[in-house]
Amino acid sequence: VRNVKKLLVDPADQARRLINYVSQAPKVALFSRGDHREVGRLRGADFDLIVPCAVSIDSVAAVSGSFQHSPHATNVAATWCVSIDELMAYRDVLRGPTWLYAFLRHRLRAFEMPALGHLSELDHLGAFFEHNDYPTWAEQTGANSVSLFGYREKLDRYFNHAWKNGGVFPDAPGQPVPPLIEKVIDALEHSRPKGFLRAGSLLLNLDGSTRRNIAATIQQAAAMLAGTARSMVLSAETDMEFYVAVVDAGHPAEERHRYRDHAQALMLRAGTLNTMLIELRIADDFSIESAGCELLTTSRLSDAERGRLARLASQVGEMRFAIAGQERVKLGRNDACPCGSGSKYKKCCLRG
């Protein structure tokens, strides 16, 4: 216990002090060790996800998981304890920072679940690849560390293959993702707008069927908009936390407010306070020319803006209902509302 406390408690205390300092100070300067030259600054407001991390030479993850749920641990909750080898494994199998971000959001929830406290780090990663939101899956199925033990098997086989074949790696284990969704995430990581990790993780949080539906809807919208210099806001699935704006390459940049207004109008119709808008500018060859994102909010809209956007939402809803009527779409209570809000029909226009 004394050794594990030294491995966990001291790093956790250091991390907590740094996190508290960064969150309270306007800016925190960073200096180089040798010449004490300022090399950067940190602002707490710039970080969406902060995970205290204790790095060890040897793997103690399974022991640390048990320790963190014991009476000896009072200030080490949600401290990610990984070995150097495990960090290198994450580097090799996760496709980029968005995947790490998405995994860590689930990993933080797993910290709060004593039933998952005895898993090795690679079992956590294997469970993420298999079930995506594995903490929720574990809650719904009653799974625990015993039933999740062995989820690292695919990862072990992957690294054993590389070791036996002179460092030649096979295809890395992971989750099935439509190529278009991968390209969206790659484009967001390339442009790195504020909130890009969160935007990409929202795509990864979808189940496989919804990922495929979103990819197909984006492709259809791109084909419809080709050469029109117009844009379209997509909200094809119910209860999503984001909208996608598909923008033809000829759409003037100064008219970005048009699809931004469209998205906020849909938010008002759905009664949503905060929603991520993912923006995709599509080139003539249907490739993604650029990608951006913005967290939209309706809480700071003026009364005049709310009135204007409410009228726009009504116009859009009527237009989309007319299209649905022409196509003779039969609506179920749990289907996506044709108005485009992203809410279920029973929670949106059916109520009116």
Side-chain angles (χ1 to χ4, degrees):
V1 170
R2 186 180 296 111
N3 289 337
V4 176
K5 285 179 68 175
K6 186 174 181 180
L7 281 170
L8 283 175
V9 175
D10 291 347
D13 285 343
Q14 291 175 359
R16 297 293 172 197
R17 288 197 298 270
L18 176 61
I19 291 169
N20 290 337
Y21 182 42
V22 171
S23 62
Q24 294 172 9
K27 288 184 179 180
V28 177
L30 302 177
F31 298 90
S32 60
R33 175 175 293 182
D35 55 7
H36 298 285
R37 180 174 49 87
E38 185 175 323
V39 294
R41 294 191 175 191
L42 297 177
R43 265 194 347 138
D46 292 337
F47 295 91
D48 181 57
L49 180 66
I50 299 177
V51 183
C53 181
V55 181
S56 61
I57 296 176
D58 299 315
S59 178
V60 294
V63 178
S64 69
S66 302
F67 177 80
Q68 291 187 66
H69 294 288
S70 75
H72 300 285
T74 55
N75 296 313
V76 270
T79 297
W80 190 35
C81 185
V82 291
S83 69
I84 293 175
D85 287 342
E86 287 162 344
L87 283 178
M88 293 175 68
Y90 284 115
R91 178 202 64 189
D92 291 338
V93 298
L94 292 174
R95 303 174 193 175
T98 302
W99 282 90
L100 178 61
Y101 177 94
F103 167 70
L104 285 177
R105 291 192 73 90
H106 297 310
R107 184 68 180 89
L108 282 177
R109 282 198 56 216
F111 281 124
E112 302 169 0
M113 302 172 63
L116 303 183
H118 301 278
L119 285 177
S120 73
E121 278 303 315
L122 292 187
D123 278 325
H124 280 283
L125 184 58
F128 167 66
F129 285 155
E130 186 71 23
H131 302 291
N132 200 4
D133 185 359
Y134 69 98
T136 297
W137 174 84
E139 288 177 338
Q140 293 173 346
T141 62
N144 54 35
S145 296
V146 175
S147 53
L148 285 171
F149 179 77
Y151 270 71
R152 61 177 293 162
E153 183 179 351
K154 291 181 180 179
L155 292 163
D156 289 335
R157 289 203 303 266
Y158 170 74
F159 289 109
N160 285 336
H161 182 280
W163 179 73
K164 292 177 180 178
N165 292 276
V168 178
F169 284 90
D171 291 337
Q175 298 176 12
V177 179
L180 180 58
I181 299 298
E182 287 188 347
K183 290 177 181 177
V184 171
I185 291 172
D186 289 343
L188 286 169
E189 290 182 351
H190 177 74
S191 57
R192 303 179 74 86
K194 184 176 181 180
F196 77 97
L197 291 175
R198 182 175 179 182
S201 73
L202 290 174
L203 292 169
L204 294 181
N205 285 344
L206 303 173
D207 60 44
S209 175
T210 306
R211 289 174 181 174
R212 292 190 294 273
N213 290 342
I214 292 296
T217 304
I218 292 174
Q219 289 175 324
Q220 292 169 3
M224 290 174 57
L225 293 172
T228 65
R230 296 174 61 189
S231 62
M232 182 182 298
V233 176
L234 306 179
S235 53
E237 300 291 331
T238 59
D239 299 328
M240 291 197 313
E241 299 179 64
F242 64 91
Y243 296 138
V244 179
V246 181
V247 186
D248 181 66
H251 190 280
E254 60 271 17
E255 293 188 9
R256 176 178 176 271
H257 64 90
R258 292 184 180 277
Y259 57 81
R260 191 176 181 277
D261 284 353
H262 189 161
Q264 286 193 302
L266 294 178
M267 291 172 63
L268 286 178
R269 195 172 187 92
T272 307
L273 291 178
N274 300 294
T275 298
M276 181 67 74
L277 177 64
I278 300 175
E279 307 165 46
L280 305 177
R281 183 169 286 271
I282 308 298
D284 293 338
D285 60 357
F286 297 107
S287 63
I288 299 175
E289 185 177 278
S290 63
C293 62
E294 180 186 359
L295 183 62
L296 300 179
T297 181
T298 57
S299 61
R300 293 191 292 270
L301 293 174
S302 66
D303 291 341
E305 289 174 317
R306 283 181 177 274
R308 178 178 64 84
L309 292 174
R311 290 190 293 273
L312 175 60
S314 179
Q315 294 170 5
V316 171
E318 291 174 3
M319 179 185 68
R320 292 193 175 187
F321 259 100
I323 294 173
Q326 292 171 4
E327 296 177 351
R328 299 188 179 184
V329 177
K330 186 176 181 180
L331 295 174
R333 290 171 56 83
N334 291 317
D335 290 337
C337 188
C339 77
S341 66
S343 295
K344 292 180 180 179
Y345 183 41
K346 67 181 180 182
K347 295 181 179 179
C348 193
C349 293
L350 183 62
R351 296 182 304 181

